[in-house]
Structures are given as structure tokens and as C-alpha cells.
Amino acid sequence: MPVALRVHGQNEALWSVEVRVTNRTDAARTFRVADFIGTPGWKPSMVTVPPGATMSLGGADVFNGPYSPSAVFGLAILDADPELLVQSAVLTGIWRPGGASYTCESFNGGTYMAGCEGIVGAGPLIDGLAFSPAGKALFIPWLHTDEGRRTNLVIVNPDDVAARVSVAIASQDGLTTHTEEYVFEPRSYNQLGDIFAQPPFSEIRAANERIPYGGAAATATITGDTRLVGMAYVIGNEDNSLTISLPR
């Protein structure tokens, strides 16, 4: 699952993550953080969830390692008992440095050495995210080309070899498609930011604008020669509101 901890983004955005693990059985269950791709310094951890309980963890607790005031971000790989429900919320907020600072609770991202400045806010839930096998196409259906929103495409290569990846994006009417080829480093977390604001995918925005009364929908098909995780963030430029588009 994606993990962020006090990430300061475009338009004064602030990103953090809360993870909740729910045990609806009558016996204790466990899950562990088996790997973390994106920020070095993480430490493996194991958590036991009592029967009938929900554990709340911040991004800092999932990362479980030393970090500086610079942001922590990446993809946590979890190994959980099948009876557990594991969900994460990407908390969309506003960056306000120099304001009130206090210990950051798990539901606001977890313990952070520089406090909990800013307004953390709330966000959408993610669960069931998994690796796509090598060679299998990932289809991401909900991209947005309107200028009032920015679409960031995230592609994670978890393997120990470079990934050769093809990204094809189609316009709302399906009549315009552009494909780009990338090589992503081994064990890399890659974010293509605001993809419709500049070439090569700005042509998809232009194609949608030519649709009578305008169009804003687009889709992506991602194929690589390693395992991949892919998703898209669609973010409002005025208020940093967030939609997460997961592969289908």
C-alpha cells in the first residue's frame, strides 16, 4: 500500500497516511511489513491484532525506521493473515509551516520528530492493492484531463532488475492514444506528475478539449516486463481534494 508521511506537495498540499487493520475473528491475528520501496531506512515490523479489535498505524509506524524532517514516501509491502482487513487512507491536507506543533497521532500520520504542523485532513481508502505479473496489462480507468485538476501516475517496480514499461493513454472517445516507453530502476517508486499539463500526454488533453462541450476522461494501460504496481492520483488544484484511481 502507498505510504506518505508529512509530504509537502504542489499547491501547499500535505500528504500523510493512516493504516487500519481490522480483526473480526475470535483469535489474535498478525501482519508484518515485509518490504518498503521508495525511502531508505525502513525497518521490518510485526503487529498482533487482538480478537475483535482494529489497530491504527500512521505512516511513521509502518515505516518504523529513522528519518529526517524530509518526507517519507513509498510503497509498503504487507504480509497479513488472510482473516485481516487491511486498509489505508491517504490523508489530504494543507501545509502550514510554523503553526501549532504537537505529537502526531496515528490517525494523523503517526509520530513525527518535527511535530504535526499543518492541517492533515482526510482522504480516500485503499485496499486490495497487489502486484500485477510481468507481461500482464494494468488498466487504470479514472484519469482526468481538465486543467483544474492534476493527474499523477504512479508506477512501482518492486523487482531487483530494471523494468521496461509501456504506458498507453487514451482520450475520452478512444480516438486519440499516445504511448510512451520508460525504463524504471530496480526497486523504484516512480511518479509521473501532472501528466496532462506537458508533452507527451498533453495531446490527450487537447483531444478531449476538441470533443463537443468538452471531455475530461482518460484511461491508461500499463505493461511491463517485471511485476508492477500502478495507480493514479487525481488532485484538485484549488483545494487539493483527492481521487485515487486503482487498476482494474
Side-chain angles (χ1 to χ4, degrees):
M1 64 177 53
V3 170
L5 174 60
R6 318 302 294 170
V7 176
H8 182 197
Q10 184 177 334
N11 293 3
E12 300 303 302
L14 176 66
W15 309 105
S16 290
V17 160
E18 180 194 4
V19 178
R20 294 188 188 181
V21 187
T22 302
N23 180 5
R24 299 181 66 191
T25 75
D26 57 2
R29 306 292 179 182
T30 62
F31 81 98
R32 66 187 184 95
V33 181
D35 201 354
F36 195 97
I37 299 169
T39 301
W42 74 284
K43 292 183 179 180
S45 59
M46 180 174 289
V47 175
T48 298
V49 186
T54 298
M55 298 289 292
S56 174
L57 304 169
D61 308 307
V62 175
F63 187 73
N64 192 41
Y67 50 87
S68 69
S70 61
V72 168
F73 69 92
L75 185 81
I77 300 172
L78 307 181
D79 182 9
D81 286 346
E83 299 87 355
L84 292 176
L85 172 62
V86 181
Q87 298 173 293
S88 64
V90 180
L91 310 174
T92 315
I94 301 171
W95 177 259
R96 288 186 179 171
S101 179
Y102 52 90
T103 300
C104 209
E105 307 92 343
S106 63
F107 55 80
N108 280 331
T111 303
Y112 181 63
M113 63 189 304
C116 203
E117 295 175 313
I119 301 172
V120 177
L125 297 179
I126 298 177
D127 55 37
L129 191 63
F131 293 118
S132 175
K136 182 178 180 180
L138 278 173
F139 179 69
I140 301 180
W142 193 290
L143 308 184
H144 213 299
T145 64
D146 180 74
E147 291 184 357
R149 299 168 177 87
R150 57 193 187 273
T151 295
N152 299 343
L153 192 61
V154 172
I155 303 171
V156 181
N157 171 19
D159 289 344
D160 292 326
V161 297
R164 291 167 177 79
V165 176
S166 171
V167 178
I169 298 184
S171 61
Q172 178 167 310
D173 56 14
L175 299 178
T176 301
T177 301
H178 185 84
T179 302
E180 281 291 303
E181 306 292 332
Y182 300 91
V183 177
F184 294 130
E185 295 295 319
R187 293 182 52 79
S188 61
Y189 181 99
N190 308 280
Q191 181 163 263
L192 310 178
D194 205 359
I195 59 173
F196 298 115
Q198 62 264 322
F201 296 118
S202 53
E203 67 181 73
I204 305 299
R205 172 178 285 175
N208 276 351
E209 290 172 345
R210 292 193 293 269
I211 295 174
Y213 306 108
T219 62
T221 302
I222 303 169
T223 309
D225 60 358
T226 70
R227 296 179 302 160
L228 294 175
V229 169
M231 71 195 86
Y233 296 106
V234 180
I235 309 162
N237 285 331
E238 292 295 326
D239 60 3
N240 292 320
S241 57
L242 174 66
T243 293
I244 299 177
S245 181
L246 298 179
R248 294 290 184 263

